[in-house]
Amino acid sequence: MGGVDILAMQGRFHYYEGYTMQEVTMPVRVMYELGIKTLFVSNAAGGMNPEMKIGDLMVINDHLNLFPEHPLRGKNIPTGPRFPDMHEPYDHELIARSHRIASEKGIRLLEGVYVGVQGPTFETPAEYRMYRIMGGDAIGMSTVPEVIVAHHCGIKTFGVSIITDLGGFDVPVAVSHEEVQEAANKAQPLMTEIMREMIKGLRFEV
């Protein structure tokens, strides 16, 4: 794509499906062994920030890991240290590049903290409010384990959430999986456009 060799996954493994964290993150380990240097991750997420609306794109600048199991628990795999630093799990330069591209193309692009939870239930109104107080802007059931393992492997990471539903506001709104999919499908072309341009820029990097 744009002169850059890429590897694309069709979906992902989710912790709520019953996989272990090692199984959920195994694709990232395989990518590392194949020589991948940069990881692009995306997800559908519930928006908790009052500025958000359904269909928005949010660049992830940090996360809260609320999964009950840590993907690096157990014997340390020698792709990284036993206690990896996590001060920049999402690459700042890639984030800045995404904003430049979005601005050039007139795409509304927000930025915020992603909360990773195990699922599979959507959040209650009280849970939405709690996660918002904790500092979250969007919430979902994926991404965080893969990002942690990618960081452990020394892979630079860029993440985007498509805001597919809203929660934690004054009036609770019911949400269904079908509605989430519909909102994600509508916003996906905009996300794809940003990522395509970002990937093209990688061809100048070693």
Side-chain angles (χ1 to χ4, degrees):
M1 179 181 289
V4 179
D5 292 331
I6 67 170
L7 171 65
M9 288 184 63
Q10 185 176 9
R12 57 155 52 94
F13 301 109
H14 293 90
Y15 186 71
Y16 64 73
E17 295 177 283
Y19 297 105
T20 66
M21 277 297 179
Q22 286 68 35
E23 291 171 325
V24 167
T25 57
M26 179 58 70
V28 178
R29 297 287 185 191
V30 174
M31 291 177 189
Y32 169 78
E33 295 296 337
L34 291 173
I36 295 298
K37 304 297 183 185
T38 306
L39 176 68
F40 287 67
V41 292
S42 64
N43 58 59
M48 301 178 286
N49 189 318
E51 296 182 7
M52 292 177 171
K53 56 186 179 181
I54 292 177
D56 273 341
L57 299 178
M58 185 195 83
V59 174
I60 305 172
N61 58 23
D62 205 344
H63 67 232
L64 295 174
N65 179 20
L66 298 183
F67 283 91
E69 181 185 355
H70 198 284
L72 299 183
R73 180 177 180 270
K75 183 178 180 180
N76 185 48
I77 299 176
T79 54
R82 170 77 281 187
F83 304 104
D85 173 76
M86 292 294 292
H87 83 279
E88 189 182 336
Y90 302 87
D91 189 77
H92 291 173
E93 173 53 36
L94 293 175
I95 292 174
R97 187 180 302 176
S98 72
H99 283 294
R100 290 194 296 269
I101 293 170
S103 178
E104 292 170 359
K105 295 184 174 295
I107 298 174
R108 174 178 161 89
L109 187 62
L110 305 177
E111 185 175 325
V113 176
Y114 176 83
V115 182
V117 295
Q118 66 174 319
T121 55
F122 290 109
E123 289 65 44
T124 68
E127 287 171 335
Y128 269 124
R129 291 193 295 271
M130 177 185 69
Y131 295 135
R132 177 60 179 161
I133 291 172
M134 292 172 65
D137 295 289
I139 188 168
M141 308 169 194
S142 66
T143 302
V144 171
E146 296 101 309
V147 170
I148 290 174
V149 170
H151 198 67
H152 187 250
C153 292
I155 298 173
K156 293 192 298 184
T157 304
F158 173 76
V160 176
S161 293
I162 297 177
I163 305 303
T164 54
D165 59 283
L166 301 172
F169 305 132
D170 293 336
V171 180
V173 179
V175 60
S176 70
H177 181 62
E178 290 72 23
E179 290 172 327
V180 168
Q181 285 184 315
E182 181 180 357
N185 290 337
K186 289 181 178 178
Q188 185 171 330
L190 298 177
M191 179 189 70
T192 301
E193 188 170 1
I194 292 173
M195 286 191 172
R196 182 183 295 113
E197 292 300 316
M198 292 183 68
I199 291 172
K200 289 180 181 177
L202 295 177
R203 69 181 183 273
F204 301 111
E205 302 177 4
V206 178

